[in-house]
Amino acid sequence: QLQLQESGPGLVKPSETLSLTCTVSGGSISSSSYYWGWIRQPPGKGLEWIGSIYYSGSTYYNPSLKSRVTISVDTSKNQFSLKLSSVTAADTAVYYCARHIARVDTAMVIGWFDPWGQGTLVTVSS
Amino acid sequence: SYELTQPPSVSVSPGQTARITCSGDALPKQYAYWYQQKPGQAPVLVIYKDSERPSGIPERFSGSSSGTTVTLTISGVQAEDEADYYCQSADSSGTPNWVFGGGTKLTVL
């Protein structure tokens, strides 16, 4: 059974870089069928897709966050990572990683997230 | 930017049918997906590709699509179905962008 687990600091200072890692177990991150994504949820609010990566390193980012986001993959460790720079209090959220079952071509764009990690709360505060 | 619109809340009595809608201009061309999120837990996929149900999801969960609106239907609602429900789809008008609706709180009276 595929499982994902987020890890990283729970507190980040304003203007610094948020860094999280997602470890995948029960399956290979190098599967040709899947992307791997990050989604966040501010306290009491809805879900926001941050970005996704393929095992080859190909990425898609949310246009509203693209200038601050970097997602990378380490296939040797079965992990992928998120970096979000210049954080503010508005970046305080539970950050989830998830398998992103996606297909992108000239004809269509489809994709959904399943399963999800348990999530980790990151607070931006001095 | 592309938006998916959901009602903030829906209330039903146990045993009744709950219908949660999600509207978006691209939905006639894009599949919709539905997630259930209980307090303090991660979201769980309950419907994919408009109407497909993942293994392990009860048959009382179903999905449908009509024009710019998709609907999650929960038949014979149970107390355990009380949760937030989010629709999700994709925006292919430019660089691919996966979008969530604002969420609907389902209350079982």
Side-chain angles (χ1 to χ4, degrees):
Chain A
Q1 181 183 359
L2 189 75
Q3 293 186 316
L4 298 92
Q5 177 69 59
E6 306 88 352
S7 60
L11 181 64
V12 181
K13 290 182 168 57
S15 80
E16 295 190 344
T17 296
L18 177 160
S19 296
L20 295 173
T21 295
C22 182
T23 301
V24 178
S25 59
S28 173
I29 203 169
S30 299
S31 170
S32 61
S33 302
Y34 307 119
Y35 282 72
W36 304 90
W38 288 98
I39 304 101
R40 70 179 183 178
Q41 184 173 36
K45 296 187 178 181
L47 301 165
E48 180 180 36
W49 171 70
I50 300 170
S52 298
I53 191 165
Y54 197 56
Y55 76 94
S56 64
S58 173
T59 54
Y60 292 107
Y61 295 135
N62 185 322
S64 68
L65 297 169
K66 184 176 182 178
S67 64
R68 298 194 292 129
V69 173
T70 302
I71 297 176
S72 58
V73 63
D74 186 337
T75 55
S76 67
K77 294 182 179 179
N78 230 31
Q79 295 176 334
F80 62 107
S81 297
L82 168 70
K83 291 187 184 299
L84 180 65
S85 64
S86 304
V87 297
T88 69
D91 295 308
T92 293
V94 175
Y95 285 76
Y96 296 98
C97 60
R99 182 176 61 179
H100 187 182
I101 303 155
R103 173 182 167 184
V104 179
D105 58 36
T106 54
M108 66 188 313
V109 173
I110 64 172
W112 64 98
F113 303 91
D114 180 58
W116 298 51
Q118 66 183 28
T120 187
L121 175 63
V122 179
T123 301
V124 178
S125 176
S126 55
Chain B
S1 63
Y2 184 52
E3 292 185 354
L4 296 172
T5 301
Q6 299 180 234
S9 63
V10 169
S11 299
V12 294
S13 299
Q16 299 300 306
T17 296
R19 294 181 179 85
I20 300 173
T21 59
C22 173
S23 299
D25 290 342
L27 289 177
K29 301 176 292 184
Q30 293 287 347
Y31 285 119
Y33 311 87
W34 290 94
Y35 302 86
Q36 176 193 67
Q37 185 180 34
K38 295 182 179 180
Q41 298 183 19
V44 173
L45 180 75
V46 294
I47 294 289
Y48 67 102
K49 289 187 178 180
D50 288 348
S51 59
E52 300 292 324
R53 194 173 53 251
S55 61
I57 300 302
E59 291 184 4
R60 63 180 181 274
F61 289 86
S62 63
S64 61
S65 177
S66 179
T68 59
T69 300
V70 294
T71 302
L72 172 68
T73 300
I74 310 172
S75 304
V77 167
Q78 302 181 5
E80 67 195 51
D81 299 329
E82 184 164 289
D84 293 326
Y85 290 85
Y86 293 90
C87 63
Q88 176 248 307
S89 188
D91 176 16
S92 60
S93 59
T95 301
N97 183 21
W98 284 271
V99 178
F100 290 90
T104 298
K105 169 66 176 179
L106 175 66
T107 300
V108 181
L109 301 170

